[in-house]
Amino acid sequence: MAVSTQGDIGRGLDGLAEVASKIRGAIESVIEGKPDVVRLALTVLLAEGHLLIEDVPGVGKTMLAKALARSVDCSVRRVQFTPDLLPSDITGVSAYNQELREFEFKPGPVFANIVVGDEINRASPKTQSALLECMEERQVTVDGTTYVLERPFMVVATQNPVEMEGTYPLPEAQRDRFTARISMGYPDPGAELEMLDVHGQSSPLDGLVPVAYASDVRDLIEVVRRVHVATPVKHYAIDLVTATRNHPELRLGASPRATLHLVRAARAHAALNDRDYVLPDDLQELAVPVLAHRLLPSSEAQVERRLPEQVVADLVDRVPVPDGRRG
């Protein structure tokens, strides 16, 4: 096996920038006025992560998920989560074949490169938990048999705020498996006006064609894995996560998995910025979307309406930044 050199990753970054630009352009042709949201979605894809999109209905959550899925020529399945959805409706089921006189496995919608889970928190926690194994281990176990999922594998889930009718809070273990959570937010008036012009006659998704292949994404992921993370930067990531575990306004801090996801996302963020090394700035920019959804505020913080996002932002300002930015 050949050892990668600095020149190899340099050429890889050139290719990454070209393909990533095409994917980003395709998504932005559908999602107007949200470049930061699109960039974060692409970061999560290249970090081999999963994305949770949370906001009120009608702001484009599902549109973003579908645009990302259609921009890459790979297998895509959509699951509409409802209260009566069963775990086997997601993972698949073993059914008896009368002709063969044996049980055969019927794969569920999770057997795809990109799985779009619409309104994930409308299903019961039992059904939500069907995604735990596949999101973490990229495999599904049914009736004692394990089936490996094809890479790349990404879950893009949308959810409505918990305060809305007919929703179940995502279990802590489920939230922890999502690399990042983003909110779409309302568009500015200019973007909303453009949306009326573009979306008024037909859905822009109808004209969206793939601009990359699944094999391209796998190659980009390999490039991201080779992005260098210096030891001081690793310690800085650990310091940020550890600070959430000791904060008086939080009754549940971030897990070691959160540290791993933060560093993986920082590698992808650096690569998208045409760098083969991670800076503390990458960690700072990603800290809120990667960490905040994993945290549970204390009772006092809830009374004072202190959101975990505010706590993480404060920690980014307070935790000392390492002096050496490479090493």
Side-chain angles (χ1 to χ4, degrees), residues 165-198:
E165 289 188 27
T167 60
Y168 299 84
L170 287 183
E172 288 82 0
Q174 181 80 58
R175 292 201 309 270
D176 198 36
R177 280 164 170 77
F178 283 101
T179 301
R181 180 188 64 183
I182 59 176
S183 294
M184 297 293 294
Y186 292 110
D188 60 54
E192 195 160 5
L193 178 61
E194 185 177 351
M195 181 192 72
L196 293 177
D197 293 335
V198 175

Side-chain angles (χ1 to χ4, degrees), residues 2-312:
V3 179
S4 62
T5 65
Q6 197 70 17
D8 292 333
I9 191 170
R11 288 189 293 273
L13 286 174
D14 292 338
L16 183 146
E18 181 182 352
V19 176
S21 178
K22 290 180 180 178
I23 297 175
R24 185 164 56 239
I27 300 173
E28 289 180 347
S29 70
V30 176
I31 304 296
E32 293 90 4
K34 298 291 179 183
D36 293 340
V37 171
V38 173
R39 184 179 180 83
L40 182 58
L42 190 54
T43 299
V44 173
L45 172 65
L46 298 184
E48 289 187 282
H50 308 289
L51 183 65
L52 180 62
I53 310 171
E54 179 183 289
D55 219 318
V56 296
V59 294
K61 300 187 302 295
T62 305
M63 187 75 76
L64 172 62
K66 287 183 176 180
L68 174 62
R70 292 195 185 188
S71 298
V72 181
D73 188 12
C74 61
S75 56
V76 180
R77 298 290 296 274
R78 178 180 178 272
V79 183
Q80 178 64 55
F81 282 76
T82 56
D84 60 347
L85 195 71
L86 299 175
S88 58
D89 294 330
I90 298 174
T91 58
V93 65
S94 294
Y96 188 73
N97 188 314
Q98 294 281 4
E99 296 180 357
L100 299 177
R101 295 183 179 275
E102 62 182 21
F103 283 93
E104 62 178 359
F105 179 62
K106 302 289 187 181
V110 78
F111 285 84
N113 294 119
I114 297 180
V115 179
V116 179
D118 207 5
E119 296 186 308
I120 187 174
N121 59 337
R122 289 202 181 278
S124 67
K126 180 179 180 180
T127 301
Q128 293 172 11
S129 66
L131 289 170
L132 293 179
E133 181 185 14
C134 63
M135 290 176 69
E136 181 65 18
E137 302 174 45
R138 267 68 174 181
Q139 66 182 31
V140 173
T141 302
V142 178
D143 294 337
T145 303
T146 299
Y147 304 90
V148 177
L149 300 174
E150 182 184 352
R151 295 175 184 252
F153 174 72
M154 180 182 187
V155 174
V156 183
T158 71
Q159 73 166 354
N160 297 324
V162 176
E163 297 80 10
M164 304 197 72
E165 289 188 27
T167 60
Y168 299 84
L170 287 183
E172 288 82 0
Q174 181 80 58
R175 292 201 309 270
D176 198 36
R177 280 164 170 77
F178 283 101
T179 301
R181 180 188 64 183
I182 59 176
S183 294
M184 297 293 294
Y186 292 110
D188 60 54
E192 195 160 5
L193 178 61
E194 185 177 351
M195 181 192 72
L196 293 177
D197 293 335
V198 175
H199 297 221
Q201 299 175 351
S202 63
S203 171
L205 284 172
D206 296 339
L208 187 60
V209 296
V211 294
Y213 296 97
S215 58
D216 295 328
V217 175
R218 286 193 289 268
D219 292 342
L220 299 187
I221 288 172
E222 288 301 320
V223 173
V224 167
R225 284 177 176 175
R226 300 202 302 270
V227 171
H228 179 63
V229 185
T231 300
V233 177
K234 292 178 183 176
H235 282 298
Y236 181 54
I238 294 172
D239 291 343
L240 282 173
V241 174
T242 302
T244 67
R245 302 168 188 164
N246 304 320
H247 201 284
E249 293 184 274
L250 299 174
R251 57 188 174 92
L252 177 67
S255 67
R257 184 188 288 120
T259 313
L260 181 61
H261 285 183
L262 181 59
V263 172
R264 284 179 178 173
R267 279 192 168 104
H269 190 268
L272 288 171
N273 283 304
D274 200 28
R275 274 188 279 108
D276 61 358
Y277 57 93
V278 173
L279 293 174
D281 305 38
D282 298 312
L283 299 173
Q284 291 175 342
E285 190 165 337
L286 294 166
V288 171
V290 172
L291 300 180
H293 65 284
R294 309 168 194 264
L295 311 176
L296 291 180
S298 64
S299 301
E300 294 79 4
Q302 287 178 315
V303 170
E304 297 176 3
R305 298 184 180 278
R306 281 275 289 174
L307 299 175
E309 289 86 345
Q310 295 171 303
V311 175
V312 175

